[in-house]
Amino acid sequence: MRKEKTLIGILSGLVDLLVEESARNPEFATSIDRLLSDLPERKTVSKRRAPKPPSPKFLPDIHAEWNARGEMEFRLWIREQPITVLRALIRTQDFDSTRRTTKWKEAEKLADFITDSLRARLLKGSAFIRRETSE
């Protein structure tokens, strides 16, 4: 930090010296102007906005689709969904708490992740359902 302050002080003094010399010597001032005119102007970068994710009320009910279609047909159906819908489903269902899927670009990979997460969640819930014993 101290070196930065020292460097800032030196550069500030150098600029002051250049201004004084430019005021006294017109040739020096024109050469400084020519030198500084070659600097490229700063380009403004436009921020690209990501498409808005669909609101949760417009998302499909994946639990109902799973029950209606079964696992294999659900896999085929979920792969047809757009990536924005798949990402919104992952976010609303809280399948990816570590946010590792944010870098994934392939719809099939996201769809498989949703299917596997849903299957794991359903299997976990089935442990609490009482099964009838045959005696």
Side-chain angles (χ1 to χ4, degrees):
M1 188 71 175
R2 288 184 186 195
K3 290 181 182 180
E4 290 175 5
K5 288 183 179 181
T6 307
L7 183 62
I8 290 171
I10 291 171
L11 290 175
S12 178
L14 184 61
V15 168
D16 292 339
L17 184 64
L18 288 173
V19 168
E20 287 177 23
E21 184 62 29
S22 295
R24 278 188 271 156
N25 188 349
E27 276 184 39
F28 184 73
T30 57
S31 63
I32 291 291
D33 285 339
R34 266 187 279 135
L35 179 68
L36 295 178
S37 68
D38 292 341
L39 290 176
E41 292 185 25
R42 186 176 183 149
K43 296 180 182 177
T44 58
V45 178
S46 63
K47 293 183 180 178
R48 239 176 52 185
R49 292 188 179 190
K52 285 187 175 181
S55 73
K57 63 182 177 183
F58 295 117
L59 292 176
D61 184 8
I62 58 174
H63 296 282
E65 293 292 335
W66 179 280
N67 291 334
R69 297 175 187 268
E71 183 178 350
M72 293 312 294
E73 286 185 37
F74 178 80
R75 280 187 185 274
L76 296 174
W77 172 79
I78 196 79
R79 285 184 179 191
E80 296 171 359
Q81 303 302 315
I83 291 180
T84 55
V85 171
L86 296 176
R87 290 189 190 283
L89 284 171
I90 290 171
R91 191 171 29 262
T92 57
Q93 296 291 323
D94 197 30
F95 286 140
D96 188 20
S97 59
T98 60
R99 314 252 316 147
R100 67 179 183 175
T101 60
T102 55
K103 296 179 183 178
W104 295 356
K105 306 278 189 225
E106 301 169 11
E108 290 100 22
K109 196 171 182 180
L110 291 167
D112 289 341
F113 180 79
I114 290 171
T115 305
D116 294 340
S117 299
L118 185 59
R119 182 176 1 101
R121 190 172 281 176
L122 291 172
L123 287 175
K124 187 183 290 186
S126 68
F128 296 101
I129 298 174
R130 222 182 220 187
R131 297 182 188 204
E132 295 188 28
T133 57
S134 58
E135 292 182 23

